[in-house]
Amino acid sequence: MPGIETILSPALFHLYEEELEQKNVVVIDILRATTTICVAFANGAREILPVAKPEDAAAMQQLGWIAAAERHGETVEGFDLGNSPQDYTEARVSGQKIALTTTNGTRALQMSSAAKHVWVGSFLNIKALCDQLREDNSDLLLFCAGWKDKFNLEDTVFAGAVAEMLADKFTVLDDATLAAMDLYKKAQPDLNTYLQKASHVNRFKSLHIETDLDVCLKIATLNVLPEFKNGTIQNRQHA
Ligand code: MLT
């Protein structure tokens, strides 16, 4: 059976890079980058290019791309789109290519580029994601983007949800995954209530964007499977 491990923060990523090219990575940034990416593809986006800096996103506008930038949970000044999934409507993104930079999620994607496959994971596409992971007998790394290299609750709860869904197919190889599974079991009866204590949810409240949490917790509602490959993200699953 293939093995599953959980990277609880980008600061620990270097400990898991051995034989990365033979492993699948799921990049997790529930609030909100990987959720937003899934919503964008569900609403017809053609491609999403994760870039390091806002100016890199702005430069792509010359080529007809939409530029989106978030820092510290807020839309960067001068950008029409930040990182709220609610802003990636069909009217706004259908048929479009989007250059996106966020505080944590896009950086985690770029860190994972050497992996066999890099999948974008969110509660919204958890079924499509786990169906795909079942098909591949490769070892799996669940990579929590966290907050500025720190552990966060929401990404780890999601990692636990995936590990739980795949428990019949994968051997849990580390305590981080066991902890994530325990956290998910504790949160699962009511994710929204459990995550009210999360630091990023409290950041949302101060920014008056708490409704994003409801959107980010709509479990298995999107049949999309975004993959980060050759520096860009495209949807590998079509409804
Ligand atoms: C991120 O990608 O860093 C997070 O999703 C931040 C956010 O969107 O609030």
Side-chain angles (χ1 to χ4, degrees):
M1 283 171 96
I4 189 169
E5 295 176 280
T6 300
I7 308 172
L8 295 175
S9 149
L12 301 171
F13 185 80
H14 65 284
L15 300 174
Y16 297 82
E17 284 183 303
E18 195 177 320
E19 298 180 330
L20 189 61
E21 65 284 350
Q22 295 166 31
K23 298 177 183 176
N24 290 333
V25 171
V26 174
V27 171
I28 304 165
D29 188 344
I30 296 303
L31 302 178
R32 302 162 287 183
T34 54
T35 300
T36 294
I37 290 166
C38 289
V39 169
F41 281 114
N43 285 337
R46 284 169 51 207
E47 182 175 347
I48 298 177
L49 181 70
V51 294
K53 302 189 295 292
E55 47 269 42
D56 299 334
M60 295 301 288
Q61 285 178 298
Q62 318 298 328
L63 304 175
W65 290 57
I66 290 176
E70 168 275 326
R71 286 294 183 270
H72 320 300
E74 295 187 277
T75 302
V76 173
E77 192 175 341
F79 285 79
D80 296 334
L81 272 183
N83 201 17
S84 170
Q86 300 187 74
D87 294 342
Y88 287 66
T89 60
E90 190 169 353
R92 188 77 184 81
V93 304
S94 183
Q96 299 290 331
K97 292 185 174 184
I98 304 165
L100 172 67
T101 183
T102 71
T103 310
N104 307 285
T106 50
R107 172 172 165 253
L109 285 163
Q110 291 174 327
M111 289 173 70
S112 306
S113 56
K116 178 180 178 186
H117 291 287
V118 182
W119 301 108
V120 173
S122 73
F123 278 109
L124 285 66
N125 77 324
I126 191 169
K127 184 182 181 311
L129 174 71
C130 288
D131 288 349
Q132 170 63 36
L133 295 171
R134 283 180 178 285
E135 285 178 22
D136 190 333
N137 261 322
S138 304
D139 287 340
L140 175 60
L141 291 174
L142 303 176
F143 183 11
C144 299
W147 177 259
K148 297 183 181 179
D149 274 353
K150 292 179 181 171
F151 170 96
N152 71 17
L153 279 175
E154 65 273 13
D155 294 350
T156 307
V157 165
F158 177 79
V162 172
E164 196 64 38
M165 287 182 79
L166 297 176
D168 62 318
K169 185 75 170 45
F170 287 80
T171 303
V172 174
L173 298 178
D174 63 349
D175 287 358
T177 304
L178 293 173
M181 293 169 83
D182 282 359
L183 208 54
Y184 171 64
K185 285 180 193 134
K186 182 175 175 60
Q188 185 272 332
D190 185 345
L191 287 175
N192 195 304
T193 300
Y194 180 80
L195 290 175
Q196 290 303 311
K197 60 185 163 192
S199 55
H200 207 36
V201 173
N202 285 287
R203 212 169 280 122
F204 281 5
K205 289 171 185 169
S206 63
L207 295 171
H208 309 296
I209 52 174
E210 50 268 53
T211 57
D212 271 3
L213 178 62
D214 300 327
V215 175
C216 294
L217 297 181
K218 292 186 185 301
I219 296 176
T221 48
L222 298 183
N223 187 27
V224 293
L225 191 59
E227 181 181 14
F228 176 62
K229 186 173 183 177
N230 300 327
T232 194
I233 309 168
Q234 293 189 313
N235 182 18
R236 299 294 181 220
Q237 178 111 342
H238 299 281

